[in-house]
């Protein structure tokens, strides 16, 4: 088992360029290592991932490549990799962090973990992560959770298919270990072939879809609403489109 740990707790494991590049390198190394039979994606600190690094993204819009342009590469590396990936989620996940969870072959969260597609609340859309999230959710669940940005718990995440299982916090590590133990009983080439089989209907268009969704995402981050939303988030206030007195 290779354990890859999101380790940027000061910014709640936000998906910065540095974190994304290190994660891509670690995924490639694990996938190429014949001694690795399964990959566990976990985190330090109380938060799995808060999503895109909004401070870096705001600074990069118009002057460089925001980290969101590389998020699709991470999702593809998990989705298309030959080794099964188990996400271990012991705390909140937001926006882009949910894309990582959905990309994993198996995801286990604690029942007290919380989730939210918060993009619309900062004036952007959950475009890139849709490549991995939408195959997991029903259209009704996706519409509700995408459009409202509402927070939901681990039990709901399991019911809608975002995670494989939600367990009590004290049972999380044992549940992850049980899945890994089951995975390593599979033959390496058979596991790789099974992953390919599972994604077969989408293989030919996945990379094309990622590119198209990334373009959509970047356009919204660079929009007037996106800029206002990111500024409001940093200033800990409601953006200017929220009606006075709204809950």
């Amino acid at each position: 088992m290779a354990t890859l740990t999101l380790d940027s707790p000061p910014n709640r494991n936000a998906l910065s360029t540095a974190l994304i590049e290190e994660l891509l390198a670690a995924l490639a190394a694990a996938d190429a290592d014949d001694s690795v039979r399964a990959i566990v994606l976990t985190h330090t600190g109380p938060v799995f991932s808060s999503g895109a690094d909004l401070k870096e993204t705001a600074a990069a819009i118009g002057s460089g490549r925001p980290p969101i342009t590389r998020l699709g590469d991470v999702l593809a590396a998990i989705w298309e990799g030959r080794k099964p990936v188990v996400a271990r989620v012991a705390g909140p996940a937001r926006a882009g962090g949910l894309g990582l969870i959905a990309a994993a072959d198996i995801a286990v969260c604690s029942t007290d973990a919380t989730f939210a597609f918060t993009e619309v609340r900062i004036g952007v859309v959950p475009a890139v992560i849709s490549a991995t999230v939408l195959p997991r959710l029903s259209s009704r669940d996706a519409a509700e959770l995408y459009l409202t940005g509402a927070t939901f718990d681990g039990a709901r995440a399991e019911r809608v298919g975002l995670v494989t299982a939600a367990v009590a916090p004290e049972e999380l590590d044992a549940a992850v270990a049980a899945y890994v133990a089951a995975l390593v009983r599979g033959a390496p080439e058979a596991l790789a072939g099974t992953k390919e089989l599972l994604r077969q209907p989408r293989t030919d268009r996945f990379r094309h879809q990622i590119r198209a969704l990334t373009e959509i995402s970047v356009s919204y981050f660079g929009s007037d609403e996106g800029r206002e939303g990111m500024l409001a988030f940093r200033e800990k206030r409601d953006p200017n489109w929220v009606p006075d007195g709204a809950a």
Side-chain angles (χ1 to χ4, degrees), residues 87-110:
R88 174 191 175 277
V89 184
R94 298 291 185 268
L98 278 68
L100 298 180
I101 295 168
D105 302 287
I106 294 170
V108 188
C109 75
S110 61

Side-chain angles (χ1 to χ4, degrees), residues 129-215:
I129 65 171
S130 289
T132 58
V133 170
L134 291 184
R136 306 293 190 193
L137 306 184
S138 74
S139 60
R140 283 296 187 190
D141 288 315
E144 176 197 348
L145 299 174
Y146 269 30
L147 292 171
T148 66
T151 300
F152 54 102
D153 62 14
R156 177 78 190 277
E158 180 180 0
R159 288 199 303 274
V160 302
L162 179 65
V163 302
T164 311
V167 300
E170 64 273 16
E171 298 173 1
L172 180 61
D173 289 333
V176 170
Y179 277 115
V180 171
L183 289 169
V184 300
R185 295 185 65 84
E189 291 302 318
L191 288 171
T194 301
K195 280 199 64 170
E196 185 175 358
L197 180 67
L198 287 167
R199 66 175 184 262
Q200 190 171 16
R202 302 173 56 83
T203 298
D204 292 341
R205 59 188 295 266
F206 188 82
R207 289 281 181 170
H208 173 76
Q209 182 186 29
I210 284 287
R211 288 192 294 271
L213 292 173
T214 298
E215 291 177 4

Side-chain angles (χ1 to χ4, degrees), residues 22-182:
E22 290 184 14
L23 182 54
L24 281 169
L27 285 166
D31 208 52
D33 187 344
D34 290 340
S35 68
V36 172
R37 305 285 300 282
I39 299 168
V40 172
L41 179 62
T42 185
H43 60 102
T44 59
V47 177
F48 178 79
S49 176
S50 58
D53 186 323
L54 295 183
K55 182 177 181 180
E56 182 181 357
T57 297
I61 291 292
S63 61
R65 285 170 55 84
I68 195 69
T69 61
R70 290 287 274 161
L71 176 57
D73 292 329
V74 175
L75 301 184
I78 298 171
W79 189 272
E80 297 176 341
R82 291 172 53 81
K83 310 291 175 67
V85 177
V86 181
R88 174 191 175 277
V89 184
R94 298 291 185 268
L98 278 68
L100 298 180
I101 295 168
D105 302 287
I106 294 170
V108 188
C109 75
S110 61
T111 49
D112 59 358
T114 61
F115 307 84
F117 297 98
T118 52
E119 287 86 349
V120 293
R121 298 194 177 192
I122 61 166
V124 299
V125 297
V128 178
I129 65 171
S130 289
T132 58
V133 170
L134 291 184
R136 306 293 190 193
L137 306 184
S138 74
S139 60
R140 283 296 187 190
D141 288 315
E144 176 197 348
L145 299 174
Y146 269 30
L147 292 171
T148 66
T151 300
F152 54 102
D153 62 14
R156 177 78 190 277
E158 180 180 0
R159 288 199 303 274
V160 302
L162 179 65
V163 302
T164 311
V167 300
E170 64 273 16
E171 298 173 1
L172 180 61
D173 289 333
V176 170
Y179 277 115
V180 171

